[in-house]
Amino acid sequence: MKEILLTGGLGYIGSHTAVETLNAGYKVIIADDLSNSKIEVLDKIKQITNKDVKFYQIDVCNKEELEKVFAENKIFGVIHFAGFKAVGESVKEPLKYYQNNVGSTLTLLETMKKYDCKNIVFSSSACVYSPVNQMPVKEDGNLEASNPYGRTKLFIEHILKDFQNANPDFDVTVLRYFNPIGAHESGLLGEDPNGIPNNLMPYICKVAVGELDHLNVFGNDYNTKDGTGVRDYIHVVDLAIGHVKALDKIVKADDCGFRIFNIGTGIGYSVLDVVETFNKSNGITIKYQITERRPGDIDSYFSSAKKAEEELGFKATRNLEEMCKSSYKYYSAKKR
Ligand code: NAD
Ligand code: UD1
């Protein structure tokens, strides 16, 4: 059984990926400092899969702590989720973002090299694409990040490329996620942001359970079918399966390289599409008001999902209704 280290594996995407990776027959080790997650998630992962998971509460930037993980296990590959992800906070505290996101990656790569672990899958983001690209955007689209968070992802991609160039026996897979939403069907895992959410689905869920009064729809004068912003929402369980496909590819491949894949559905939905689908699939009505545009937003982005389908055999199968239902199920369960 191959051992896979998930840095940040108790977070939203990491926890769902832990479940799918275990179900696919890999052994999972999680390293997380709990800076944005809760230890209870570990038990939920074990409960869903009925499998054991080794856990290290460590900061991945800390070389000594990370070395212990590699010294005590025979790690075949790493999925590197650990990092901070709040765009607004990254504008106010850029150094915190560069230190954690870039810093953890540098420490991880050095340690992997020292312990002869040669496979890494990295969590990048669609926000590395410049808004000038035509949609659907392909992996060779123009790159330009518009905030410090996005720049950490872009810089890390460059670092990984340089590293793989200098170490051709390393295998590097970069996954550019579009907009992950939804939750595990059990209702045990999901996204749990503190305070007032920045992102659409957690905000809608908080309105649905009565924690917030109404949704503010940021602008209805974009160049889209109903004037509201269009995004490529992907079910987090599909996204998790995308990671397993990337691991399977690494296991099977004879050669090493540097590969980049969009992980999306290829379909764009507007804010009002999401609200309408959420209402229909959950039998409730979300109150909303149209407000000003949010600075930095663009009208529309969605992926070309072809490369991942052709080269990884990955295709998202869960639709927007399932995304809305599972998100609400998780929030309602939390509320009780
Ligand atoms: P999350 O905050 O839920 O998970 C990140 C996890 O990493 C948390 O459990 C946190 O405690 C941990 N962590 C942070 N810094 C750490 C460190 N130095 N050492 C150890 N653990 C650390 O975020 P998520 O939504 O699951 O995102 C996972 C990754 O995917 C991140 O790198 C994020 O930037 C990227 N990503 C997320 C989205 C999204 O919409 N959620 C989109 C694109 C890319
Ligand atoms: C945001 C991040 C992006 C990150 C992505 C992860 C910003 C500017 N960008 O992108 O870097 O990779 O999350 O999923 O934060 N909306 C509302 N009302 C709300 C919240 C959102 O109308 O309360 C609209 C937005 O204007 C947008 C759509 O919903 O059109 C999706 O927004 P969001 O969930 O924040 O994702 P992104 O803006 O795509």
Side-chain angles (χ1 to χ4, degrees), residues 87 125 179 199-200 216-218 229 231 233 271 294 297 301:
V87 173
S125 166
N179 289 52
N199 299 118
L200 181 63
N216 294 306
V217 175
F218 298 145
R231 298 289 184 273
Y233 297 96
V271 176
R294 179 171 66 180
D297 270 355
Y301 73 74

Side-chain angles (χ1 to χ4, degrees), residues 101-117:
N101 295 9
V102 179
S104 65
T105 308
L106 295 177
T107 307
L108 179 62
L109 291 175
E110 275 179 357
T111 312
M112 287 175 69
K113 193 166 172 180
K114 180 164 174 189
Y115 286 84
D116 212 25
C117 169

Side-chain angles (χ1 to χ4, degrees), residues 8 10-14 31-37 58-61 81-85 100 123-125 149 153 177-178 180:
L10 292 188
Y12 173 48
I13 302 169
D32 198 304
D33 64 359
L34 304 182
S35 56
N36 197 35
S37 53
I58 61 152
D59 177 351
V60 177
C61 299
F81 297 103
F84 296 144
K85 63 167 182 178
N100 195 35
S123 299
S124 190
S125 166
Y149 164 72
K153 294 292 172 189
Y177 312 156
F178 279 68

